[in-house]
């Protein structure tokens, strides 16, 4: 199993090298040269066994099944629900998959718990140490901190947009007390954080100096691990049952994982809708065929406050039939002028593979949280509310079962939940200590030299 870059100017690598590198050296994202065909989930197959089987298919001969089994068993033992991603019915032919039973109460845990153990295993075997960098719009940073805190092989650097995430989200990433976890709040929005990460990778001297890797959804291991819950849901609701997934979408790692599950034969069919908040760049791209930078605005669903989703590049590459030259030209043009036309071949393919719903307003998001409480007696997070709001506009039938991905626990957004519903959303007891821990983070200007100097200084103290 070989992995190639979406930009077409990097040598093919195996699964381990693709995951350790994060970003390809030509600035592209790694994808499999060919999609492996994987048998769908079997009746009675546990989540962990399914994860071992699916991730092994992506790893090929780069890792043994026994080693991957050890990693997966450790990763998913940390979840509070034995199903890892339990499915519950919200109304006739409407279901919700709960992806918030990991250590930091967000879907990012599903992949990050695997990645933390994967890095430790591989780096110990190679007697190497790396610096892992993570730009976060809220939940990735906390999930990475929980996965890497105390690692003897990884220094973790987290960049988040200053005052643009919830206090609880921030505390999960800034209060580990681990000396190998460094946190900075950059002045700007998430796109500034994500752009900073890409520039640090592009500075090859610096990247080589600190042995840089990344665990945003640019990292293929994130995508591979997230395909598992799509296959698990398909088995839970019936192996032949057509499902329509509604995915709250920011950086599109979650949505792209569903696309990958489809390409690998893990789903009975493929129908996926990306639900977006007032940051509607994705909806605009699919409607107009033009990628254009629009500054992100603050919303009640901050993890989705993203202008241009990074995983869209993988989708364009596959939809354009691996035309790396077109992808490279598109992103070079975007880097120069902050706008670019999508390849025509990709636009034709998008009509069959991806839908984006009408953006959900801030008002509609909070109203949806109240409606779901009235309808089900349950609190939901504002990101999940974007998804359930979109799902209300869809017709559920025996031939079209709707599944909304619940991406985070409502306790991560207590202020928003309280405002929307009048109800408190306390942290589960297993996480309650987070609120009392001391936070450690720096506030930095989004300037390359400032961030480089801060990272050097932080690593030298570890």
């Amino acid at each position: 199993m070989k992995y190639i870059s979406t930009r077409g100017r990097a040598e093919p690598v195996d699964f381990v090298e693709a995951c350790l590198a994060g970003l390809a050296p030509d600035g592209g994202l790694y994808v499999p040269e060919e999609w492996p065909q994987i048998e769908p989930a079997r009746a009675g197959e546990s989540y962990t066994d399914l994860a071992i089987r699916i991730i092994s298919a992506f790893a090929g001969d780069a890792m043994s099944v026994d080693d991957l089994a050890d990693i997966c068993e450790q990763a998913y033992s940390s979840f509070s629900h034995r199903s890892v991603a339990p499915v519950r019915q919200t109304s006739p032919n409407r279901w919700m998959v709960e992806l918030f039973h990991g250590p930091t109460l967000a879907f990012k845990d599903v992949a990050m718990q695997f990645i933390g153990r994967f890095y430790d295993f591989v780096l110990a075997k190679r007697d190497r140490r790396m610096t892992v960098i993570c730009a976060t719009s809220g939940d990735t940073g906390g999930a990475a901190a929980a996965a890497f805190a105390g690692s003897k092989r990884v220094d973790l650097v987290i960049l988040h947009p200053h005052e643009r995430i919830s206090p609880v989200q921030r505390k999960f990433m800034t209060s580990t007390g681990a000396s190998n976890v460094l946190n900075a709040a950059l002045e700007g929005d998430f796109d500034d954080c994500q752009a900073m990460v890409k520039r640090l990778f592009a500075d090859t001297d610096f990247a080589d100096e600190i042995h840089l890797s990344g665990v945003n959804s640019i990292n293929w291991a994130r995508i591979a691990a997230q395909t598992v819950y799509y296959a698990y849901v398909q088995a839970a609701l019936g192996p032949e049952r057509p499902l329509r997934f509604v995915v709250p979408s920011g950086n599109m790692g979650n949505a792209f994982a569903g696309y990958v599950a489809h390409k690998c034969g893990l789903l009975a069919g493929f129908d996926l809708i990306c639900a977006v908040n007032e940051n509607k760049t994705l909806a605009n791209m699919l409607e107009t065929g033009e990628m254009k930078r629009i500054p992100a605005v603050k919303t009640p669903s901050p993890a989705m406050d993203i202008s241009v989703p990074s995983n869209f590049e993988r989708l364009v590459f596959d939809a354009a039939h691996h035309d790396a030259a077109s992808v490279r030209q598109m992103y070079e043009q975007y880097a120069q002028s902050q706008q670019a036309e999508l390849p025509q071949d990709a636009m034709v393919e998008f009509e069959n593979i991806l839908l984006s719903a009408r953006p959900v307003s801030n008002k509609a998001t909070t109203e949806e949280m109240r409606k779901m409480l009235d309808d089900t007696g349950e609190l939901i997070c504002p990101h999940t509310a974007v998804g359930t709001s979109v799902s209300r506009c869809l017709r559920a039938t025996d031939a079209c079962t709707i599944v909304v991905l619940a991406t985070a626990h409502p306790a991560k957004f207590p202020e928003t939940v309280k405002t929307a519903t009048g109800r408190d959303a306390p942290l589960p007891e297993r996480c309650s200590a987070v609120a009392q821990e001391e936070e450690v983070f720096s506030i930095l200007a989004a300037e390359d030299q400032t961030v480089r100097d801060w990272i050097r200084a932080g690593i030298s103290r570890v």
Side-chain angles (χ1 to χ4, degrees):
M1 173 67 69
K2 291 296 183 181
Y3 289 79
I4 56 177
S5 170
T6 53
R7 306 283 175 97
R9 289 181 172 172
E11 290 297 316
V13 297
D14 68 13
F15 175 81
V16 172
E17 292 300 329
C19 296
L20 288 182
L23 198 67
D26 62 356
L29 306 184
Y30 282 116
V31 293
E33 201 166 33
E34 295 181 353
W35 297 113
Q37 294 307 294
I38 308 171
E39 182 185 341
R42 304 160 184 157
E45 190 171 24
S46 72
Y47 191 95
T48 299
D49 287 345
L50 179 61
I52 294 165
R53 194 161 58 78
I54 290 175
I55 298 173
S56 292
F58 288 116
D61 58 6
M63 291 188 72
S64 74
V65 175
D66 287 345
D67 288 339
L68 282 170
D70 287 343
I71 292 169
C72 288
E73 286 165 3
Q74 292 175 44
Y76 299 117
S77 68
S78 64
F79 282 66
S80 63
H81 198 291
R82 63 182 300 176
S83 296
V84 179
V87 184
R88 67 178 179 89
Q89 190 167 20
T90 56
S91 64
N93 289 314
R94 295 178 186 271
W95 299 77
M96 184 177 291
V97 52
E98 296 178 346
L99 299 174
F100 49 70
H101 292 281
T104 69
L105 311 180
F107 83 93
K108 308 295 177 71
D109 288 320
V110 178
M112 206 65 76
Q113 284 294 306
F114 169 82
I115 288 178
R117 289 158 177 81
F118 167 82
Y119 267 71
D120 274 350
F121 173 84
V122 172
L123 293 177
K125 201 168 184 178
R126 299 182 178 197
D127 194 23
R128 291 176 58 190
R129 186 177 187 88
M130 298 191 79
T131 301
V132 169
I133 192 165
C134 164
T136 181
S137 55
D139 289 327
T140 298
F148 287 105
S151 170
K152 293 179 171 55
R153 295 286 172 175
V154 170
D155 300 317
L156 176 65
V157 175
I158 302 172
L159 307 179
H160 74 268
H162 185 41
E163 295 184 339
R164 287 196 176 223
I165 63 175
S166 81
V168 174
Q169 283 180 308
R170 190 185 66 240
K171 286 179 180 179
F172 269 111
M173 68 181 82
T174 60
S175 61
T176 65
S179 62
N180 70 312
V181 178
L182 311 175
N183 288 276
L186 295 195
E187 294 171 340
D189 58 23
F190 170 75
D191 291 299
D192 294 312
C193 297
Q194 185 163 257
M196 176 62 68
V197 169
K198 291 186 176 182
R199 291 198 301 273
L200 293 176
F201 272 102
D203 183 348
T204 54
D205 289 341
F206 178 73
D208 290 343
E209 173 193 338
I210 66 170
H211 307 292
L212 190 62
S213 180
V215 290
N216 280 68
S217 55
I218 61 173
N219 191 304
W220 179 257
R222 285 274 303 275
I223 304 299
Q226 289 174 187
T227 62
V228 179
Y229 47 72
Y230 283 93
Y232 190 76
V233 171
Q234 180 70 75
L237 296 182
E240 305 298 327
R241 191 175 190 175
L243 304 179
R244 169 171 281 186
F245 289 97
V246 180
V247 187
S249 298
N251 226 7
M252 277 194 75
N254 211 359
F256 187 70
Y259 174 79
V260 172
H262 157 66
K263 298 294 282 190
C264 294
L266 291 165
L267 303 178
F270 182 65
D271 196 350
L272 185 146
I273 296 175
C274 292
V276 297
N277 61 19
E278 290 190 3
N279 291 289
K280 54 188 179 181
T281 303
L282 176 60
N284 290 346
M285 287 193 294
L286 295 176
E287 181 178 344
T288 67
E290 182 179 52
M291 181 167 65
K292 186 175 182 180
R293 171 70 188 273
I294 303 172
V297 298
K298 292 179 70 172
T299 74
S301 46
M304 297 164 63
D305 293 349
I306 295 171
S307 178
V308 176
S310 61
N311 274 284
F312 191 68
E313 180 168 344
R314 283 185 167 117
L315 191 63
V316 171
F317 179 74
D318 199 66
H321 312 295
H322 289 201
D323 185 352
S326 292
V327 174
R328 189 170 61 249
Q329 181 181 19
M330 169 183 159
Y331 279 92
E332 287 174 351
Q333 177 63 40
Y334 180 76
Q336 293 173 5
S337 63
Q338 300 293 283
Q339 62 183 58
E341 297 292 325
L342 304 185
Q344 189 58 42
D345 284 353
M347 286 300 297
V348 171
E349 192 69 14
F350 286 156
E351 294 179 4
N352 302 317
I353 63 174
L354 188 69
L355 298 172
S356 179
R358 178 179 54 82
V360 177
S361 70
N362 294 348
K363 181 180 179 182
T365 299
T366 53
E367 287 179 349
E368 177 64 21
M369 295 168 72
R370 178 182 52 77
K371 288 178 184 176
M372 283 297 290
L373 177 61
D374 292 342
D375 292 349
T376 68
E378 300 285 341
L379 297 174
I380 59 173
C381 89
H383 306 79
T384 305
V386 173
T388 57
S389 178
V390 168
S391 75
R392 287 183 186 274
C393 303
L394 306 175
R395 186 166 174 262
T397 66
D398 290 339
C400 183
T401 298
I402 295 170
V403 181
V404 177
L405 273 60
T407 57
H409 193 286
K412 297 199 79 171
F413 308 92
E415 299 86 0
T416 303
V417 170
K418 182 75 171 180
T419 299
T421 68
R423 293 274 294 272
D424 292 321
L427 284 167
E429 188 171 340
R430 63 192 172 91
C431 301
S432 58
V434 169
Q436 311 304 322
E437 298 293 336
E438 180 184 358
E439 291 189 82
V440 179
F441 67 99
S442 303
I443 301 173
L444 303 176
E447 298 171 349
D448 293 14
Q449 191 60 48
T450 299
V451 174
R452 281 195 296 262
D453 290 345
W454 172 78
I455 291 174
R456 285 191 180 102
I459 290 175
S460 69
R461 293 194 298 269
V462 175

